[in-house]
Amino acid sequence: MKTYKIAVMPGDGTGPEVTAEAVKVLNAASAKFGFKTDLTEFDFGGERYKRTGETLPDSGVEELRKFDSILLGAIGHPDVKPGILEKGILLKARFALDQYINLRPVRLFPGVETPLKGKGPKEIDYVVVRENSGDAYTGTGGFTMKGTANEVAVQSAVYSRFQVDRCLKYAFEYARKYGKKARGVGSENTLALVGKTNVLTFIYDLWERAFHEMGQKDYPDIRRDYYHVDATCMWMVKSPEWFDVLVTGNLFGDIITDLGAITQGGMGIAAGGNLNPEGVSMFEPIGGSAPKYTGLGVINPLAAICAAQMMLEVLGEEKAAKKIDEAVKFVTANKLKSLAAGKMGFSTSQVGDLVANEVAK
Ligand code: IPM
Ligand code: MN
């Protein structure tokens, strides 16, 4: 029987509560679909930082390298200055493990309310492939004359052809395998590049040339579109049905995926994967630690459950992943009153039970 070694990092705030439900669903799936999970918990997060001053040490990264996958709850603590834990844990893991893809499905599940008038699950059904290793996230830059009236701050967007090409390759392959034609819900598989070629004439010029070269040569079966990032924000609201697979740089990807998340029902449901297709990937609900709901049993665990679902898909347990996907859809369509914390009509662990029971059926 196949055994997956999974590092579990519940983290801060409501992270442990939602992670417990994701693990519950994983256990139901492994019992049903004939694989095993070997879970090891790590306490990286705000409490540990307060106790020891340590975020994610290099020795922790070396530990994490030994796993097949990482399941993360949430990082962020009200007593810790913003940036320390995000940079020291989340971004450190992404960079040290070279998780160069951030995969963010934007899918509206049945029964879930969207702020987009007149749009439903058929229209809101696309995926953002966000490059996750470069851009303004590399920390390239600095200050001169800091603290004076003449202070200058520079923070550069950085991309190498290598980074761009490996991301585009992933995105084209993803569009071929999971695009709208491949899923039987459209007539073609489309990859759209989201950029800003009218102003960022170096960075997105590189992206655009690499995009068309690779598409022409290796992926002639995939339709290529291009949108400026500002216009993309408009169309994500007005005509989300135009999109299939989008690919973009790290910073634009960060911004547009939060817009995407709110159109799919918000932080209760949105999940993301930090992928190293050749190494160790890390899956997370994107909502954060929600300190004000900590310990109340009211937070929605579906995003964490969807993160576990994505993890199984990437690990190759496609049947189990599909079953969890269907179970979550059943629960949103037939059970939950709302996705919002405290308004679901069920407690956190009851929602986990509802999904786990569906998976076990
Ligand atoms: C995300 C988050 C992170 C990012 C933060 C917490 C560093 O916003 O995963 O989208 O900017 O990538
Ligand atoms: Mn973000």
Side-chain angles (χ1 to χ4, degrees):
M1 197 182 278
K2 199 148 190 191
T3 302
Y4 299 100
K5 289 184 65 183
I6 297 170
V8 181
M9 293 169 47
D12 303 316
T14 52
E17 291 164 66
V18 298
T19 305
E21 301 314 310
V23 167
K24 188 188 281 175
V25 172
L26 264 184
N27 289 340
S30 64
K32 168 104 183 166
F33 290 92
F35 61 89
K36 274 195 179 151
T37 56
D38 176 3
L39 308 179
T40 307
E41 207 170 298
F42 291 88
D43 68 348
F44 304 119
E47 288 302 326
R48 178 180 168 133
Y49 173 74
K50 278 175 60 186
R51 223 173 43 240
T52 66
E54 228 172 31
T55 49
L56 173 60
D58 293 342
S59 59
V61 172
E62 291 319 307
E63 281 295 309
L64 293 175
R65 271 187 217 289
K66 298 177 193 154
F67 289 83
D68 292 311
S69 204
I70 304 166
L71 191 61
L72 178 70
I75 296 295
H77 195 291
D79 303 343
V80 182
K81 209 176 125 209
I84 293 180
L85 300 171
E86 292 87 338
K87 259 193 150 155
I89 301 176
L90 189 62
L91 295 181
K92 172 122 182 209
R94 286 180 185 174
F95 279 83
L97 298 171
D98 202 16
Q99 294 164 339
Y100 61 87
I101 299 293
N102 191 304
L103 191 65
R104 293 277 186 92
V106 181
R107 297 218 161 102
L108 182 69
F109 285 175
V112 175
E113 217 177 300
T114 173
L116 302 187
K117 196 171 134 215
K119 304 295 178 188
K122 209 169 148 287
E123 287 77 28
I124 303 172
D125 179 16
Y126 58 96
V127 175
V128 179
V129 176
R130 163 186 171 190
E131 202 290 328
N132 212 27
S133 74
D135 211 336
Y137 279 71
T138 55
T140 307
F143 301 101
T144 50
M145 294 169 279
K146 192 170 179 184
T148 73
N150 293 319
E151 176 169 349
V152 176
V154 177
Q155 192 140 11
S156 303
V158 178
Y159 269 117
S160 67
R161 179 74 192 233
F162 168 76
Q163 282 174 310
V164 171
D165 275 344
R166 68 179 180 173
C167 176
L168 288 171
K169 178 160 185 275
Y170 179 87
F172 276 116
E173 293 288 339
Y174 188 91
R176 195 177 262 169
K177 192 164 173 205
Y178 296 111
K180 283 192 166 167
K181 183 176 178 198
R183 289 189 290 124
V185 296
S187 59
E188 36 190 4
N189 294 328
T190 306
L191 180 64
L193 173 66
V194 174
K196 187 72 187 169
T197 52
N198 51 349
V199 175
L200 300 186
T201 49
F202 306 131
I203 287 280
Y204 280 100
D205 184 82
L206 168 59
W207 273 89
E208 197 180 34
R209 275 181 287 119
F211 177 61
H212 290 301
E213 272 174 39
M214 187 179 290
Q216 245 160 38
K217 183 165 165 286
D218 298 328
Y219 302 95
D221 52 310
I222 293 166
R223 177 192 156 114
R224 272 172 277 136
D225 283 343
Y226 171 82
Y227 301 95
H228 290 321
V229 65
D230 45 355
T232 303
C233 292
M234 291 197 314
W235 303 128
M236 282 171 71
V237 172
K238 179 131 198 315
S239 310
E241 64 277 8
W242 289 358
F243 298 135
D244 185 356
V245 182
L246 303 179
V247 63
T248 190
N250 206 345
L251 186 58
F252 291 168
D254 176 48
I255 297 165
I256 69 171
T257 52
D258 266 22
L259 174 56
I262 204 69
T263 68
Q264 69 184 116
M267 295 308 176
I269 194 85
N274 301 281
L275 312 185
N276 177 340
E278 297 86 35
V280 185
S281 300
M282 176 169 76
F283 300 83
E284 52 174 334
I286 73 168
S289 59
K292 74 174 180 190
Y293 296 119
T294 302
L296 303 178
V298 298
I299 195 81
N300 187 341
L302 286 181
I305 291 169
C306 289
Q309 188 272 347
M310 204 192 277
M311 179 174 84
L312 289 180
E313 187 170 282
V314 171
L315 286 172
E317 292 294 334
E318 304 226 348
K319 275 196 195 134
K322 187 154 182 280
K323 184 81 182 187
I324 298 175
D325 187 56
E326 285 164 6
V328 171
K329 283 182 180 145
F330 175 83
V331 169
T332 60
N334 301 298
K335 301 286 183 186
L336 297 199
K337 289 206 196 96
S338 157
L339 293 191
K343 298 184 181 150
M344 300 185 289
F346 297 91
S347 71
T348 303
S349 74
Q350 284 174 327
V351 175
D353 289 340
L354 287 170
V355 179
N357 290 341
E358 275 313 301
V359 169
K361 267 188 196 160

